[in-house]
Amino acid sequence: MDVQNIDLELSKLDDILSKASLEITELEQLLASKEAELERLNGELTDINKKIGTSELDVKSYEEKIIKMKDTQKLLQTNKENNAIQKSAKDSEALKKKSEDELMSYMESKDSVNGEIAAVRKDAGDIAAALADKNAGHKKNKTEFDGARKDFISKREDAASRIKKDYLDIYEAVKRNKGFPAISPVMKSGACTGCYRMLPPQQFNELISGNVFMQCPVCSRILYIDVDAAAAEKQGPPNRKKNKAEA
């Protein structure tokens, strides 16, 4: 039992470290996804800024054309020429309006993307801070657990040295195949607590009668009688003195 108890403690240490490592991995993946999202949004913002620049140039170009047409219109002599330049000016006004509308739409998109970038950047900062804390805690725990592990391993080696090699090999095989517990107590009814199947009466009697190495015929776990639990069951609950009110 000493070896199994120590193995359970070692398993608990491994589980804590494994859980922390998994949490760190999940945070790293989440941070990577946020960074990828930031990269995508920044690329989108770059494209929008290019479109804004193009639209601003278009608006300015149409404004210059319209001013030039108005100046030219003052010099025209015939109605035909005047009508033609008015049509051109009207077309330029329409194109200018279209470019201004596009510019406004791009500016709104820019504000929206900047808002998304700010939110994602904040999320990434929070995740990075949590990741730093988790890494620091994991490093501290690992240092402490390494010391505890060495102590447990030393105790395990001492306990294992007092067990027959054949028995220890069987325990290791059961633990590898079944997990914990590899050593299970037998209930008063004669059932293995590993698989809850009843032992044959003769085998149960042999287990009760003396210090014998025995495995469950169903699940192969190593069996033992919990002497303290059996004694407690036999003794029953402690007597309680009646008070005057109960008497």
Side-chain angles (χ1 to χ4, degrees), residues 3 28 74 87 113 123 135 140 197 206 210 222 236 246:
V3 171
E28 288 174 340
K74 296 175 183 179
K87 184 179 182 304
V113 171
D123 289 345
N135 273 319
K140 180 182 177 182
R197 299 291 292 273
E206 289 177 5
I222 301 168
E246 294 173 326

Side-chain angles (χ1 to χ4, degrees), residues 121-131:
R121 190 169 287 153
K122 182 181 182 303
D123 289 345
D126 292 342
I127 294 167
L131 180 59

Side-chain angles (χ1 to χ4, degrees), residues 2-12 14 156 171-172 175 180:
D2 287 344
V3 171
Q4 176 166 263
N5 289 337
I6 292 169
D7 283 345
L8 281 169
E9 293 301 322
L10 287 169
S11 179
K12 289 177 184 177
D14 289 340
R156 189 187 193 281
Y171 163 76
E172 295 290 359
K175 183 182 73 171
F180 291 110

Side-chain angles (χ1 to χ4, degrees), residues 26-217:
E26 289 174 348
L27 285 173
E28 288 174 340
Q29 292 174 345
L30 187 57
L31 181 58
S33 71
K34 292 295 180 181
E35 289 173 344
E37 190 174 358
L38 273 176
E39 185 176 355
R40 178 187 66 78
L41 288 170
N42 282 322
E44 187 175 336
L45 184 62
T46 298
D47 290 340
I48 291 172
N49 282 329
K50 288 179 180 178
K51 291 177 181 178
I52 287 173
T54 300
S55 293
E56 287 175 339
L57 289 174
D58 287 344
V59 170
K60 185 178 180 181
S61 174
Y62 291 130
E63 286 176 345
E64 291 174 350
K65 284 182 180 180
I66 291 167
I67 292 172
K68 188 175 180 180
M69 287 178 190
K70 286 180 179 180
D71 291 340
T72 303
Q73 190 175 11
K74 296 175 183 179
L75 304 175
L76 297 178
Q77 300 294 324
T78 67
N79 288 334
K80 184 178 179 180
E81 291 175 328
N82 189 54
N83 290 336
I85 199 136
Q86 282 182 345
K87 184 179 182 304
S88 296
K90 187 176 180 180
D91 291 343
S92 294
E93 288 283 359
L95 291 171
K96 176 191 170 189
K97 179 65 170 58
K98 181 182 177 182
S99 294
E100 287 174 338
D101 290 343
E102 289 176 346
L103 179 59
M104 183 63 67
S105 176
Y106 294 145
M107 295 297 290
E108 290 174 355
S109 296
K110 180 178 180 179
D111 289 341
S112 176
V113 171
N114 276 328
E116 290 183 62
I117 287 174
V120 174
R121 190 169 287 153
K122 182 181 182 303
D123 289 345
D126 292 342
I127 294 167
L131 180 59
D133 289 343
K134 185 66 69 174
N135 273 319
H138 181 59
K139 185 177 180 181
K140 180 182 177 182
N141 286 340
K142 191 174 185 306
T143 300
E144 293 175 356
F145 287 0
D146 283 347
R149 178 185 293 279
K150 289 179 181 178
D151 184 50
F152 279 129
I153 289 175
S154 176
K155 290 179 180 178
R156 189 187 193 281
E157 290 173 350
D158 180 61
S161 67
R162 299 193 297 272
I163 301 173
K164 288 183 179 181
K165 185 178 183 306
D166 290 346
Y167 294 168
L168 187 62
D169 289 344
I170 291 172
Y171 163 76
E172 295 290 359
V174 174
K175 183 182 73 171
R176 184 169 56 253
N177 294 327
K178 298 291 184 179
F180 291 110
I183 305 174
S184 299
V186 175
M187 299 172 67
K188 186 179 179 181
S189 62
C192 165
T193 56
C195 64
Y196 296 99
R197 299 291 292 273
M198 297 296 294
L199 297 179
Q202 182 178 353
Q203 189 174 3
F204 182 51
N205 290 333
E206 289 177 5
L207 189 63
I208 293 175
S209 64
N211 186 19
V212 58
F213 184 87
M214 186 177 295
Q215 290 179 262
C216 174

